[in-house]
Amino acid sequence: MDNIKSTSTQTKKISTIFIVIISVMLILSIAALFQVFESYRRGRLDTANLILSVSAVTISIYMLLQLRVKPLKLGFEPQKVLTTIECVSCGYKMTREFKAGDFMFKKVESCPQCNERMIISSIYKAPQQKS
Amino acid sequence: MASNMLLSVFQTLVPQDNIIGWIFQLIWIIVFVIFMFYGQRIQITIMLREIEGHLYKLKLMRDKGREIAISTIKELGHPSEDPTARVDRFLEHVDIGPVSLDPVGIIKRLEHLIDVRELRFKDEVRMLAPKADEVQMMNLTNVLEAALALNQIYKIIRHFYLQSKKTLSIYIVMQLQMILPMVMKECEAFASALRAFTLGQPIGDGVGPLVAAKLMWRSDKKREIAKDIVVGEVMIDGRKAYVLKAKGPGGNVGKPGEAIRQILEENEGKVAMIILVDAAQKLEGEKSGEVAEGVGVAIGGVGVEKFKVEEISAKFKVPLNAILIKEDIGDVVSIMKKEIINGAEDAIKRIKRLIHEKTKEGDTVIIAGIGNTMGIGQ
Ligand SMILES: [Zn+2]
């Protein structure tokens, strides 16, 4: 267990150093950009410096955005599961949400149409709706 | 204008006869030397960082799996004491396979080990959750198995990660990086399976038992033939069919090979055909729920049951047919999808066609639904 903890804290340490480096780079490149503007106001356009500093700013912002922690999806999220109940004799069908204790081919309450027995005919993951 | 701009960029990057030029040249040389001597090191570090991210996710999954297992045990089993210590001990369970140096009789030995393991797991679950009923007990065993798998995968990946960090060997890192996408997919499947197991919901692997249950649920001649296997006799197209599946709705695979052997012996080998229905891993590009036919014994796992069916059917010269329902590896242990249920319908049509074409009226056939029957009764 100690090993795991040390690994994860190490990850955090490395990433803070990384953030500091990128921030320094960002500040420096912004300073360079500012200098370019200063010299432009004095009448001299330094194209090379402009291109270099602009690209440095873009790269550091991009890297900072990349560092943002994405929400981890572990796959344990509860899923919507549907249960279909079917009447054996008249074919009456009904779908509801899964309840604990449901299983396929379980005899459940009698049919509202013909009072015959009904069984659970299928249990499945609800298809994902695209919004 | 453009050429002017290019020229000025060029002048900055390429040394001129001034001090800045010299500095730039020096930087270029240093960068070049660093990459020449430490290129691989840098690459390894980048790869290790990527693996570290995956490892962290695996750790979260394992912890969450353990947590779910413990809370389910508390909820269903009402244990008198805190089950945490016992669960932790269980998650460190180790299986030692039989010796294969002398392979004679290895199946018998392997079967014995599997039986012992199963008994051990059941005992353990009974101790953990004394108040759970039979079905819940089965499901809890499955929950613990999934948590165990997550723990062991995490530990193995961590082992190789730490080893590669120690040795800085690019070969170990690369091996790890190569298998990681598949490992992650499998672990995500186990994670989603855990949820399904706690509620006793049917999983993709249950498509074989589902087909069998659809064929046999109306039959009144149902009995338990081998350990945890139920067989029902039904008439299909004038042929007598023995339909068998694991006993549901608790999570269970049973011993289908044993059951097939017993039915064949009861009928003195006078069986026209054996049909095995099972879930099979689909290839990328194939659709979930697609049905394929083939020849051979479609039983997964370590091979004990497969061996039994092959041996007994060879003895009595009974043709073996396989009907496979294609699924993604992630679907096999996660909650059953609608496509797979539709695949089961298709499989039944194929079974009926196969029986109609390949056997005569009055013949006897065996239809076996292979897989975990969790959430599927009969
Ligand atoms: Zn009805």
Side-chain angles (χ1 to χ4, degrees), chain B residues 85-351:
Chain B
R86 209 170 243 284
V87 169
D88 282 341
R89 202 167 58 214
F90 182 89
L91 291 183
E92 298 301 317
H93 175 88
V94 180
D95 290 310
I96 301 163
V99 63
S100 55
L101 197 61
D102 178 12
V104 178
I106 194 169
I107 296 282
K108 269 252 145 54
R109 286 184 274 137
L110 184 58
E111 188 180 9
H112 173 63
L113 287 175
I114 292 168
D115 288 349
V116 171
R117 179 181 195 262
E118 211 182 304
L119 216 66
R120 177 79 180 269
F121 277 28
K122 274 194 184 148
D123 274 351
E124 199 70 29
V125 172
R126 203 159 289 144
M127 299 258 230
L128 279 166
K131 298 241 170 67
D133 61 36
E134 198 58 37
V135 171
Q136 285 171 337
M137 208 91 96
M138 291 283 194
N139 295 350
L140 273 179
T141 314
N142 281 267
V143 169
L144 281 170
E145 288 242 25
L148 177 69
L150 282 175
N151 185 37
Q152 288 187 339
I153 292 172
Y154 165 69
K155 282 188 148 190
I156 291 167
I157 298 295
R158 184 184 63 181
H159 166 74
F160 282 107
Y161 165 74
L162 289 174
Q163 201 177 43
S164 48
K165 215 172 166 181
K166 239 181 228 170
T167 56
L168 282 182
S169 157
I170 195 155
Y171 302 104
I172 301 174
V173 185
M174 274 169 111
Q175 282 185 43
L176 202 52
Q177 214 191 17
M178 271 183 240
I179 58 161
L180 256 183
M182 270 80 82
V183 171
M184 293 311 287
K185 203 171 172 187
E186 209 167 316
C187 282
E188 274 153 25
F190 274 123
S192 98
L194 248 161
R195 270 269 180 249
F197 290 167
T198 56
L199 295 165
Q201 290 163 338
I203 54 172
D205 188 40
V207 69
L210 175 62
V211 169
K214 275 179 188 274
L215 288 170
M216 76 193 271
W217 73 273
R218 286 170 200 269
S219 160
D220 353 293
K221 281 192 207 160
K222 273 182 267 190
R223 64 198 156 111
E224 198 169 331
I225 188 164
K227 196 173 148 281
D228 293 326
I229 293 278
V230 178
V231 62
E233 288 172 36
V234 285
M235 296 302 284
I236 298 175
D237 206 4
R239 284 84 164 160
K240 186 176 170 191
Y242 288 95
V243 184
L244 57 96
K245 72 183 272 295
K247 189 180 164 197
N252 201 352
V253 288
K255 288 193 168 184
E258 193 59 39
I260 290 172
R261 192 179 64 78
Q262 280 201 31
I263 296 169
L264 273 169
E265 277 170 1
E266 272 173 23
N267 289 281
E268 289 151 350
K270 290 192 190 77
V271 170
M273 185 162 61
I274 298 172
I275 303 171
L276 295 122
V277 191
D278 196 4
Q281 197 187 330
K282 80 178 180 77
L283 301 172
E284 286 298 337
E286 285 181 321
K287 272 198 212 99
S288 247
E290 241 176 43
V291 181
E293 283 171 50
V295 167
V297 181
I299 302 180
V302 282
V304 173
E305 299 305 306
K306 188 174 175 176
F307 176 83
K308 281 185 201 162
V309 177
E310 281 172 2
E311 198 182 35
I312 196 75
S313 63
K315 185 182 162 196
F316 290 119
K317 301 262 184 299
V318 185
L320 286 164
N321 288 280
I323 299 221
L324 302 169
I325 294 119
K326 301 284 182 77
E327 293 174 22
D328 190 71
I329 185 160
D331 296 340
V332 174
V333 287
S334 56
I335 304 163
M336 197 173 268
K337 281 188 184 164
K338 190 90 199 193
E339 296 97 293
I340 294 168
I341 291 179
N342 297 340
E345 287 296 334
D346 192 17
I348 288 171
K349 276 183 212 143
R350 297 229 192 182
I351 289 170

Side-chain angles (χ1 to χ4, degrees), chain A:
Chain A
M1 280 308 251
D2 291 334
N3 232 332
I4 312 161
K5 268 174 198 154
S6 73
T7 333
S8 58
T9 45
Q10 220 167 14
T11 329
K12 269 175 207 153
K13 243 184 235 162
I14 293 171
S15 47
T16 37
I17 290 169
F18 203 56
I19 289 172
V20 168
I21 291 172
I22 295 173
S23 313
V24 168
M25 193 169 124
L26 187 64
I27 291 162
L28 283 178
S29 48
I30 287 169
L33 197 62
F34 186 69
Q35 266 189 339
V36 172
F37 281 121
E38 276 293 299
S39 65
Y40 179 63
R41 232 190 295 163
R42 269 184 253 116
R44 204 171 75 88
L45 179 61
D46 197 346
T47 335
N49 259 341
L50 181 67
I51 290 169
L52 284 176
S53 49
V54 166
S55 46
V57 169
T58 338
I59 287 170
S60 39
I61 288 174
Y62 173 73
M63 281 170 105
L64 275 179
L65 285 179
Q66 283 279 299
L67 271 182
R68 262 194 328 182
V69 185
K70 286 169 208 145
L72 268 181
K73 251 195 149 182
L74 295 181
F76 289 103
E77 296 78 14
Q79 282 156 321
K80 204 179 165 196
V81 178
L82 298 175
T83 298
T84 305
I85 301 170
E86 224 174 306
C87 172
V88 179
S89 50
C90 75
Y92 168 79
K93 246 186 194 179
M94 180 185 115
T95 302
R96 61 162 167 79
E97 249 175 70
F98 177 88
K99 273 193 286 196
D102 280 0
F103 63 84
M104 282 197 213
F105 303 98
K106 182 189 185 184
K107 285 170 198 133
V108 285
E109 68 272 9
S110 47
C111 171
Q113 283 186 9
C114 65
N115 255 326
E116 281 291 315
R117 67 179 173 149
M118 294 208 295
I119 57 153
I120 293 176
S121 64
S122 62
I123 296 171
Y124 55 93
K125 185 154 73 185
Q128 252 142 31
Q129 264 123 24
K130 278 168 195 156
S131 52

